[in-house]
Amino acid sequence: MTDSSGGRHTRSVHAGQEPDETGARAPPIYQTTSYVFPDADDAAERYALESEADVYSRISNPTVSTLEDRLASLEGGVAAVATNAGMGAIDGITTVLAEAGRNIVASEDMYGGTGTYFSHIAGKRGVDTRTVDALDPAAVEAAIDEDTAFVHVETIANPSLVTPDFEAIADVAHDHAVPLVVDNTFATPHLCRPIEHGADVVWESTTKWLHGAGTTLGGVVVDGGTFPWDHPDADFPELSGENPAYGFDFTERFGDRALAAAVRQRAVRATGTGQTPFDAWQTMQGVETLPLRMDRHCENAAALAAFLADHEDVAWVSYPGHENHPTHDAASEYLDGGAARGASGTSADSSAGGYGGMLTFGPEGGFGAAKAVCEGVELASFAANVGDAKTLVIHPASTTHAQLSEDEQRAAGVRPDMIRVSVGIEDTADVLADFDRALEDAH
């Protein structure tokens, strides 16, 4: 079960785990495929979901459960399901909530991989995706109809870095008996807990800042426990009414954990997208230092954004902490990381951080110069990842968003000259010097 006691630093280290009978302080790795049943009745109860004891590690595992409880606690949810990658998380949500004939209303500002999944995977299953400007709640409402399965937004969109008004969008979605699903990867629960602002489901790629070292893939679905799946105007047959596989009502059996139970039993169990025990153990090592690392990511990103904004070889910079960013006010309202707070917990100078570890910029010289900068950095790495302890750069128009048309790229906030920077935790001066040198060489 999740543990909400203690502050975020404390829960990052302790939530979900107590020493077992051996007295081991660190969580053990239960590297096993299966579990011995004490008797036939117990085995039958587990398969009928009358007991939630472990059956097979494709479905659940004690090490993975510890990670799940910790992440649910940090996000402010009631339960979580860990997956083998972030895409496994959004697939689990979509599989449970959206059958053929339904539609998803999604922000046009989203990660290219998510957009591709919605278009080419969910689309092949008969689920339509309607992309809208989620910064306009009226546009979201106009796209919702009686077949809408959920509304999807990102806390800090990849790569436009815009932050929507969660509370306004949640109100619109809930008025139509539709849940709000939020990808919180770029913010992490250290900077934002969308469930506190009206979201019903949160998912993340744990590969990124939650783990933080660029070695371990993973994802998580966190059930907020807030949405009334059995509402008379809602239509979620996997959750309310006689489940097509189990013959009972998940909302009656599992209460406010119904979605998490369905994602585990009706999606992850069948598709094999659960996280492995070793990967979960590795991810927990990263989560223990999440608050410390996020503060440093935020500090370095703020410093690099200020440096680039004054650089003669830079045409533009986009960073949520700058007042000229289109959603600076929303980011200031919803992002509240420790780097932007004083020791007493009260707000400090926002320039100190708290706006995430990401920024984008365009060098003078356009498309060609952007590619040259990515090739020219030495401390930073030209790599397809974010949230690493190391600074990473990429050119989205030719890589992460290359499957989109130019119009679709621009709608998603991708400019031809955009360089996306995931700012690491190195010494600030070294990061600035690396970009200064690469910009000079590319000029």
Side-chain angles (χ1 to χ4, degrees):
M1 300 297 290
T2 61
D3 180 2
S4 60
S5 63
R8 276 176 279 166
H9 287 255
T10 300
R11 283 181 285 134
S12 293
V13 176
H14 290 281
Q17 192 250 335
E18 293 287 344
D20 64 11
E21 64 274 9
T22 69
R25 178 61 272 189
I29 304 173
Y30 288 92
Q31 192 67 34
T32 182
T33 61
S34 47
Y35 307 84
V36 175
F37 307 125
D39 53 57
D41 288 342
D42 180 87
E45 289 173 359
R46 297 188 196 196
Y47 272 91
L49 306 189
E50 294 171 2
S51 166
E52 295 184 65
D54 298 308
V55 171
Y56 193 67
S57 284
R58 173 164 45 83
I59 307 167
S60 65
N61 171 279
T63 307
V64 179
S65 295
T66 301
L67 173 65
E68 291 168 343
D69 287 348
R70 187 164 299 178
L71 295 180
S73 175
L74 290 172
E75 290 283 7
V78 297
V81 180
T83 58
N84 57 4
M87 299 313 299
I90 188 59
D91 180 69
I93 294 167
T94 304
T95 298
V96 168
L97 298 183
E99 67 270 12
R102 303 295 294 274
N103 65 73
I104 298 164
V105 175
S107 172
E108 61 190 9
D109 291 288
M110 65 177 154
Y111 167 52
T114 305
T116 299
Y117 169 81
F118 284 151
S119 298
H120 301 295
I121 303 300
K124 288 175 68 174
R125 299 174 183 170
V127 178
D128 183 38
T129 301
R130 302 170 178 180
T131 56
V132 298
D133 178 5
L135 302 184
D136 178 7
V140 175
E141 183 165 32
I144 296 174
D145 63 20
E146 62 183 8
D147 293 320
T148 299
F150 61 88
V151 174
H152 183 271
V153 299
E154 297 179 5
T155 308
I156 304 174
N158 179 6
S160 66
L161 307 182
V162 297
T163 296
D165 185 338
F166 295 117
E167 293 175 2
I169 295 174
D171 287 344
V172 164
H174 296 162
D175 284 345
H176 295 273
V178 171
L180 173 60
V181 176
V182 177
D183 176 355
N184 198 36
T185 299
F186 272 33
T188 81
H190 183 61
L191 298 183
C192 183
R193 290 153 305 285
I195 293 167
E196 295 177 359
H197 305 293
D200 303 289
V201 186
V202 168
W203 68 281
E204 289 200 39
S205 168
T206 64
T207 310
K208 311 306 192 291
W209 289 269
L210 284 171
H211 182 275
T215 66
T216 306
L217 295 172
V220 69
V221 178
V222 179
D223 185 348
T226 55
F227 192 82
W229 305 109
D230 56 354
H231 188 284
D233 293 332
D235 182 18
F236 298 99
E238 289 283 357
L239 296 163
S240 179
E242 185 175 303
N243 186 275
Y246 287 97
F248 59 74
D249 188 313
F250 268 59
T251 60
E252 292 179 357
R253 177 68 61 85
F254 297 102
D256 60 4
R257 299 183 295 116
L259 176 72
V263 168
R264 184 182 307 283
Q265 301 296 342
R266 295 290 287 143
V268 171
R269 179 175 187 160
T271 58
T273 54
Q275 192 161 144
T276 68
F278 183 74
D279 286 352
W281 184 84
Q282 285 273 69
T283 299
M284 277 189 279
Q285 311 311 302
V287 173
E288 289 189 355
T289 62
L290 173 67
L292 303 174
R293 290 183 290 100
M294 285 305 296
D295 288 352
R296 180 66 178 176
H297 283 294
C298 290
E299 291 168 4
N300 271 356
L304 181 60
F307 174 78
L308 293 173
D310 291 335
H311 201 290
E312 63 181 0
D313 294 329
V314 173
W316 59 270
V317 177
S318 178
Y319 170 65
H322 286 173
E323 291 186 359
N324 64 358
H325 188 274
T327 63
H328 173 71
D329 290 345
S332 298
E333 177 180 358
Y334 292 117
L335 305 180
D336 61 359
R341 295 178 178 273
S344 65
T346 57
S347 294
D349 179 6
S350 63
S351 65
Y355 291 95
M358 297 294 300
L359 62 87
T360 61
F361 75 98
E364 297 286 358
F367 184 91
K371 295 178 71 174
V373 169
C374 290
E375 294 171 344
V377 289
E378 296 177 1
L379 177 71
S381 299
F382 188 4
N385 192 24
V386 295
D388 198 314
K390 305 171 184 67
T391 298
L392 309 176
V393 300
I394 202 162
H395 181 236
S398 63
T399 57
T400 59
H401 288 67
Q403 290 177 287
L404 304 180
S405 68
E406 184 173 344
D407 288 344
E408 289 173 330
Q409 287 183 0
R410 289 186 178 277
V414 177
R415 307 187 197 187
D417 62 344
M418 174 186 284
I419 298 171
R420 186 187 72 184
V421 186
S422 174
V423 188
I425 61 174
E426 303 97 340
D427 286 310
T428 308
D430 294 332
V431 175
L432 304 188
D434 190 40
F435 280 89
D436 189 34
R437 181 172 52 251
L439 284 162
E440 182 178 353
D441 292 345
H443 184 63

